[in-house]
Amino acid sequence: MAQLQVKKPHLAPKRSSFSEQTKDAISGYLYVSPFFILFAIFGLFPILFSFYLGFQRWNGLGEMEFVGFRNFQLILSDPLFWKSLSNTMIMWILGTLPQLIIGIILAYALNSALIKFKSVFRVSIFMPYVTSTVAVAIVFGIMFNSQEFGLFNVILGLFGFDPVNWGTSEWGVKVAISTMVFWRWVGYNTIIYLAGLQAIPNELYEAAVIDGATLRQKIMFITIPLLRPIIIFTVFTSTIGALQLFTEPLIFIGRSYREEGITVVLYLYREAFSNMAFGPASATAIILFLIIIVIASINVFIANRIAR
């Protein structure tokens, strides 16, 4: 008897619910997800929580109490806050603006063919940036010692000037802290400018020499315009860093929070961790955030106009 053969239905291969492109996208997001998770926990959440605390009264342990804009009123009516803001602006002018100008000059010199041992100079200039800020502040605290044997007082004595009380005088504290900021960051900006200079084609300078351009004309019409993106970047980052000045004044003047050297961030630190007033401290952070946006925008606008 012939056996009946039953034909099995042909089963089509099971299709994946995700295309290869979708799988690649999911895989990519999974690889970068640790950064976004850590940023959300340690970056985004503290920012949002600080904005929330700016409208609360809280000592860090008890219940929060909504007070509206009272924290901002307290901060803006505090003379010490305005003193800290003026100190920050003065230190920004004394310590940050000169380093940008001198950074371009040093970068231009290091990029010159006349300089020998360029690698040694580049490493030496960049060394202050990788040095511990606390170590820098301690060393400069010794150099700016108020006694006659302090290094800078000895130098002043050679020119017939009286010793300066760097630790307590109004301008002595500002000059000392600004010098620390300048010394630490001028090398960082110099290396950035140097990288920008090395990207400028030498043919432009050779053509300028053939046309009889002077050194000043080459800098003004070739170097500065082509360095405009780099200049805008350094102005932006330096402005933000100067307005957030904290470690140098904290180490130099200590936790006495004297008016001569207190900055906005140091004022914020005092409100939060000495007075346990996290509401006013968060309000100070919000005000500083707005000030940074305004001043950084103005600086970028001016740098953009000058570098054209």
Side-chain angles (χ1 to χ4, degrees), residues 76-147:
L76 295 177
S77 62
D78 188 359
L80 186 59
F81 169 76
W82 295 105
K83 180 64 176 178
S84 68
L85 183 59
S86 65
N87 290 343
T88 303
M89 294 298 177
I90 293 172
M91 293 176 192
W92 167 59
I93 295 173
L94 295 178
T96 302
L97 294 183
Q99 71 180 249
L100 299 177
I101 299 173
I102 294 178
I104 293 179
I105 297 174
L106 291 175
Y108 194 88
L110 289 176
N111 197 46
S112 174
L114 300 176
I115 301 296
K116 305 298 182 183
F117 307 107
K118 293 182 181 179
S119 299
V120 176
F121 286 110
R122 291 171 185 173
V123 173
S124 301
I125 288 175
F126 194 71
M127 279 296 292
Y129 174 71
V130 298
T131 305
S132 170
T133 308
V134 176
V136 172
I138 293 174
V139 171
F140 271 82
I142 297 173
M143 295 171 64
F144 281 99
N145 194 295
S146 300
Q147 302 298 323

Side-chain angles (χ1 to χ4, degrees), residues 128-279:
Y129 174 71
V130 298
T131 305
S132 170
T133 308
V134 176
V136 172
I138 293 174
V139 171
F140 271 82
I142 297 173
M143 295 171 64
F144 281 99
N145 194 295
S146 300
Q147 302 298 323
E148 293 185 1
F149 53 80
L151 177 61
F152 285 95
N153 279 337
V154 170
I155 295 174
L156 290 176
L158 296 176
F159 294 94
F161 294 100
D162 295 329
V164 177
N165 195 344
W166 301 103
T168 57
S169 63
E170 181 70 26
W171 283 96
V173 174
K174 295 179 178 61
V175 170
I177 296 174
S178 300
T179 305
M180 280 188 272
V181 174
F182 173 85
W183 183 83
R184 185 167 187 266
W185 288 96
V186 67
Y188 172 82
N189 290 315
T190 299
I191 296 301
I192 293 180
Y193 288 137
L194 181 60
L197 286 173
Q198 292 177 343
I200 300 176
N202 289 328
E203 290 79 6
L204 296 177
Y205 293 105
E206 294 172 358
V209 172
I210 295 174
D211 292 338
T214 62
L215 176 62
R216 176 183 173 278
Q217 290 173 331
K218 288 189 289 185
I219 293 176
M220 294 302 298
F221 298 106
I222 297 177
T223 305
I224 301 299
L226 293 179
L227 277 181
R228 184 174 65 179
I230 307 296
I231 294 174
I232 293 174
F233 170 77
T234 54
V235 168
F236 186 79
T237 55
S238 298
T239 301
I240 295 175
L243 294 177
Q244 294 179 340
L245 193 61
F246 172 70
T247 307
E248 288 87 350
L250 178 65
I251 300 299
F252 190 77
I253 67 175
R255 296 187 62 178
S256 57
Y257 310 114
R258 294 196 311 272
E259 293 186 4
E260 300 88 357
I262 189 172
T263 60
V264 177
V265 179
L266 197 56
Y267 175 87
L268 184 157
Y269 179 85
R270 188 201 70 153
E271 289 294 318
F273 299 104
S274 293
N275 299 339
M276 301 303 293
F278 289 94

